[in-house]
Structures are given as C-alpha cells and as structure tokens.
Amino acid sequence: MRTESIKTAAELLRQADAVLVGAGSGLSSAAGYNHYHHNAVFEENFHDFEEAYGIQNLFQGFYHVYSKPERQWGFYSRYIKFMEEAPVGQPYIDLLEILREKEYFILTTNCDIQIPKIFPEERICQFQGDFRYFQCSQPCHDKLYENHGLVEDMLGGMNGLEVPSERIPRCPVCGWKMVPWVQDNTFLQGEAWKTAYLGYENFVRKNQDKKLLLLELGVGDMTPSVIKLPFWNMTSKLPDTFLITVNLEKTSAPEHLKGKCMTVCGDLSVFLQELKNEYKMHKRNL
C-alpha cells in the first residue's frame, strides 16, 4: 500500500468530527468470507452441495432454485450456521479500532453477521437484511424472528442435504413458510429496517455541517443506489465532507469530486491494518 495514501487517510481521520462507513461485500471478502467466488472456505464447508448441484459459491447456493424446499432449507441452515460461528475477520477488528474514539455510523449491504458481532446495533443500518432473522414470506405481519434455535433444530434433523419437511420454519401467525430476512422480492422493510435507516439519516443530518469523512470499503457496482451514489452525492453537496473509497480491483469517482475524494486500489485488509497503525502512531506522538 502506498505510504502517502495511508498518511493522507490517517490525517483525514484525525481531522474528522464524524465518520460514515459504507461497507460492501469486499470487506467480508478481505476477511476471508467471499460470498461471490469459489474459494477454499466454500470447498471445505459446502463441497457436498457443489457436487450435487454444481454450485460454485455461497451466493449461488443461496439463490439456487432447488427441486425441493427441504434441500433449499438444507443450504439455508448450513449457510446461516457457518456465518454465525465464523470468527470475526481481522479487517472488521481493525475497523473497530480505527473508529473506537470517533462519532461513527455504518451503512452496509452485507447480511453475513460480521458487523453486528462487534459493532453496536444502534450504529448500524443493514440495508439488505441480516442472516440472524427469519420473516414471514408473504409477509403477513411486521415482525422478525431470531433464528438460532430454528436453525439448530433443522440441522439436528438433517438427512444428507435435506431438512425434514416438518422442521421447515412456518410463520406462527399465518402458517405460511418463512424465509431468511435477506433482500429478495418478499423482503420486509418493516419497523426494524425503518428504525435502522432512520438512524443512518439522523447521523447524516446531525453531521452534515461538520467535518464528515466517508469511508467506502469494498463496495461494488451490484447495488450502487445504496452506498456508492448517495456517498457521491453527499461528497458533492456537503461543504466539509471528504470521501475515501477503497477497492481491490477497481475504484473510481466522478470528475466533479476532484479535491474531495481519494481512491485507493488495493487489499482492504492491508489498508485497514496500515491505517490503524498509522493513526495509533500519530496519537502516541502527540
């Protein structure tokens, strides 16, 4: 990682009154949990689904059209259990150290439980849901259900790749099937989602006239309207706002953000580790 980029980022962080993080799937990939590509983690934990269906990654497995709901729930329960037990990746730990003494908020498209394991719920907006919860698939009412016990029950009865049909979760109100609380055509944007999104809006409103640093970490082009475009808009319109965008393969920003944006192309795990070290060293030298 280029030394001047790290030093500039550390100085911007030092000067900032508040930090708004936009966390994309690249942050989880940097932590070792790549949901969109075939890797050793997938091979080790889901090789049987790969052999049975040709599934190459976790994203494919989640949205695959299975011939039986029992097999769909077999994958769901294994995937959720895997992410529930996965240790928090070092990039998330480094990010927590970077933000610890700052006023901050995290807007994320990630659903894989990494962020809420170590960051307070009131500082997070999980825009596309959270694997820890189920919802009615209609949905017939506005409630989320913590699913640890339900997942354990399904896994305890699995026969090969299948969950017994009688253990597939059903809505306690209408009896219809439940689904993971993850973005799809039935996704419930109810009270819990609206409360988290309001927290994000309030954070921006509170800090819009202060020195606000936007950190866009591992955000791709799949859902640009959630993080990327709003961050560009804030950088352009808010007077004392600066954007740092970090991505492994490519990163860019509009021409009109020149002077208010720094793009870094590199490994997020390295960037966050070096930023943490530089920031802490600067504080020690004060």
Side-chain angles (χ1 to χ4, degrees):
M1 196 68 64
R2 294 175 64 181
T3 303
E4 59 265 34
S5 295
I6 297 298
K7 288 185 176 296
T8 299
E11 180 60 21
L12 289 165
L13 180 64
R14 186 188 69 80
Q15 294 178 9
D17 298 313
V19 182
L20 176 61
V21 176
S25 63
L27 186 56
S28 282
S29 296
Y33 307 117
N34 192 316
H35 300 272
Y36 297 96
H37 297 90
H38 190 277
N39 60 9
V41 171
F42 179 82
E43 184 71 34
E44 180 181 349
N45 293 277
F46 298 92
H47 60 87
D48 47 356
F49 278 92
E50 180 180 6
E51 292 170 4
Y53 294 102
I55 294 165
Q56 293 295 301
N57 56 62
L58 293 167
F59 183 82
Q60 283 185 10
F62 189 84
Y63 288 104
H64 184 79
V65 180
Y66 295 90
S67 59
K68 301 170 67 176
E70 290 82 0
R71 290 200 170 191
Q72 180 180 50
W73 278 99
F75 189 87
Y76 282 171
S77 55
R78 287 260 299 275
Y79 190 2
I80 293 167
K81 179 70 171 179
F82 170 72
M83 292 313 310
E84 187 179 67
E85 293 186 340
V88 177
Q90 188 62 43
Y92 288 99
I93 296 171
D94 289 340
L95 181 61
L96 178 62
E97 285 301 307
I98 289 166
L99 299 175
R100 190 179 295 279
E101 296 179 4
K102 288 290 183 179
E103 179 75 14
Y104 72 87
F105 195 89
I106 301 174
L107 172 66
T108 184
T109 51
N110 297 346
C111 310
D112 62 3
I113 322 179
Q114 288 282 292
I115 290 175
K117 281 180 182 177
I118 59 171
F119 289 95
E121 299 274 357
E122 65 272 15
R123 291 179 180 264
I124 307 169
C125 174
Q126 297 181 96
F127 192 89
Q128 297 187 144
D130 184 331
F131 278 148
R132 294 175 298 169
Y133 299 99
F134 291 156
Q135 64 164 89
C136 174
S137 60
Q138 297 203 63
C140 73
H141 66 298
D142 182 5
K143 185 175 181 181
L144 300 176
Y145 295 86
E146 195 280 323
N147 62 26
H148 175 78
L150 293 168
V151 169
E152 290 289 340
D153 183 62
M154 284 187 284
L155 290 172
M158 276 189 74
N159 180 18
L161 302 181
E162 297 186 13
V163 166
S165 57
E166 66 272 14
R167 298 198 184 193
I168 293 176
R170 294 276 175 177
C171 173
V173 176
C174 71
W176 197 242
K177 64 180 180 178
M178 300 182 84
V179 290
W181 187 54
V182 174
Q183 184 71 55
D184 67 3
N185 63 322
T186 65
F187 183 60
L188 175 62
Q189 291 185 340
E191 182 180 356
W193 185 92
K194 290 175 182 175
T195 298
Y197 193 76
L198 181 62
Y200 160 57
E201 290 185 320
N202 286 341
F203 179 86
V204 173
R205 191 176 299 112
K206 177 183 176 182
N207 294 288
Q208 62 185 354
D209 295 321
K210 300 178 182 178
K211 285 185 180 297
L212 178 62
L213 178 62
L214 308 183
L215 283 179
E216 183 196 283
L217 305 177
V219 177
D221 298 325
M222 185 177 292
T223 53
S225 63
V226 180
I227 297 173
K228 188 174 290 292
L229 298 182
F231 275 35
W232 287 356
N233 187 52
M234 280 186 271
T235 305
S236 174
K237 291 184 176 180
L238 301 183
D240 231 350
T241 297
F242 194 95
L243 170 65
I244 300 175
T245 174
V246 189
N247 214 310
L248 179 61
E249 295 182 355
K250 63 175 183 177
T251 185
S252 62
E255 286 293 315
H256 68 276
L257 296 186
K258 279 189 173 180
K260 297 191 73 180
C261 177
M262 180 174 75
T263 60
V264 180
C265 186
D267 189 327
L268 254 176
S269 61
V270 175
F271 174 82
L272 290 172
Q273 183 181 61
E274 293 185 357
L275 176 58
K276 177 192 69 175
N277 293 339
E278 179 71 25
Y279 184 57
K280 290 174 70 174
M281 182 175 68
H282 184 276
K283 287 177 61 181
R284 287 196 299 267
N285 292 337
L286 290 178

